[in-house]
Amino acid sequence: SNKISHAMAMLEKPRATAATGYAEAPAAVSEAASSPASAPAAAEPSAPQVQEEASAPPAVVPAAPRRGTTLSAQERREASTYGELYSILVATEHLENAFVRAAVTNEDYEKACTQLLAQFKTLKNGLKDKFPDIRSFAQEHGLHCPLAEERLLGAGVAATALYGGAADTGKESLACFKASEHFITLLDAVKLNLKAVDELLPLVRDLQASIVQIPNLPPLSGVDRITTWLVTLNSMKASDHISEDQSRQLALDVEQAYTSLKNWLHEKT
């Protein structure tokens, strides 16, 4: 009888569902639907995330590009020339310091100094209208280069050409012979009334170079005047001419220096 009752009940359930149109939900589903805790809650931001968003720096807006100073072609050329002059002054100062400390050989020093002197004279002629006094240019640009000023603006020749270097004592006779040749050549040029700087300067330079190559040469009367004439002619333009008085003084100084050298050689023998 129990089996018959259970079968009758199973047959009645589809009828009820067909009459109402709804099926009986399982207990687990109905409990989950009726439970308020089971409803999906909206995600709330955590405290660290809120702090990070609050402390984030504001977005950086890129600045507009700055326009550089526009220079004309003439201004660019002048700026380049000033830069070359500045670099020559600095390079000469370093070279003179290296020569004083014996950190450079005489040959390398003389080669570099000769090149710097030639470059400086070329620039100096081009800047004589803007900067007639190069010392004022150095002061305006904060340059302290006393050795470079003495070499470029004073002597105008390498230190080895004025004071010599390490001479070979075994070649004293040859050095004296060469100096005598240059003395005679310069005296002949003065007697021929040569007065142009570009004609006299090479002769005076060769004579001075031969004098400083004589080893153990003592201070002789008149020899220092050759150095003075070298500096004087070196400061003049190639197209300049010495006066009649200067020509006569040059002949006298050269003759006196040559006589002093011959007397010293006679005393040695």
Side-chain angles (χ1 to χ4, degrees):
S1 62
N2 292 334
K3 294 180 179 181
I4 295 173
S5 299
H6 180 69
M8 294 296 294
M10 295 298 294
L11 292 174
E12 290 294 330
K13 185 178 293 186
R15 294 178 182 177
T17 301
T20 58
Y22 298 97
E24 184 178 354
V29 176
S30 61
E31 289 179 1
S34 61
S35 175
S38 62
E44 296 183 2
S46 61
Q49 182 179 358
V50 174
Q51 292 179 359
E52 289 178 1
E53 293 178 357
S55 61
V60 178
V61 179
R66 298 176 59 184
R67 297 183 61 185
T69 303
T70 303
L71 298 177
S72 63
Q74 179 65 25
E75 290 173 338
R76 287 196 298 269
R77 285 193 297 267
E78 291 181 355
S80 177
T81 304
Y82 297 156
E84 293 293 338
L85 178 59
Y86 187 98
S87 64
I88 289 175
L89 291 171
V90 174
T92 306
E93 183 71 14
H94 287 298
L95 179 63
E96 293 295 318
N97 279 317
F99 177 71
V100 171
R101 298 194 309 268
V104 60
T105 63
N106 290 346
E107 292 77 10
D108 292 339
Y109 164 78
E110 189 168 358
K111 181 180 179 181
C113 188
T114 302
Q115 181 178 0
L116 288 172
L117 283 167
Q119 293 172 339
F120 173 75
K121 291 177 182 179
T122 303
L123 281 177
K124 183 181 178 182
N125 294 332
L127 293 175
K128 60 184 178 181
D129 295 333
K130 294 287 185 179
F131 288 98
D133 185 9
I134 302 299
R135 288 184 174 88
S136 63
F137 172 85
Q139 292 177 357
E140 289 181 10
H141 293 81
L143 276 176
H144 180 67
C145 46
L147 297 179
E149 292 179 3
E150 173 61 26
R151 186 62 52 218
L152 299 174
L153 302 174
V157 292
T160 52
L162 294 177
Y163 314 111
D168 189 356
T169 57
K171 298 181 179 180
E172 180 178 325
S173 300
L174 179 59
C176 293
F177 174 74
K178 289 183 177 180
S180 300
E181 280 186 334
H182 291 302
F183 268 115
I184 295 173
T185 302
L186 181 56
L187 283 172
D188 291 342
V190 176
K191 290 178 181 179
L192 291 172
N193 203 26
L194 296 181
K195 297 180 180 180
V197 173
D198 58 349
E199 295 175 337
L200 294 174
L201 180 57
L203 302 179
V204 176
R205 185 186 295 117
D206 292 340
L207 174 58
Q208 178 65 24
S210 64
I211 291 175
V212 298
Q213 292 299 320
I214 300 176
N216 304 321
L217 182 67
L220 300 178
S221 176
V223 174
D224 57 335
R225 295 293 301 168
I226 305 300
T227 303
T228 303
W229 276 109
L230 178 60
V231 174
T232 301
L233 294 175
N234 193 71
S235 63
M236 301 172 66
K237 296 180 181 178
S239 58
D240 291 343
H241 291 71
I242 61 175
S243 63
E244 183 64 28
D245 292 340
Q246 287 178 317
S247 179
R248 296 179 62 180
Q249 186 64 47
L250 174 60
L252 179 62
D253 292 339
V254 174
E255 186 67 39
Q256 183 181 1
Y258 187 32
T259 302
S260 298
L261 178 63
K262 290 188 294 184
N263 293 336
W264 175 70
L265 292 174
H266 284 304
E267 291 176 0
K268 286 177 64 67
T269 57

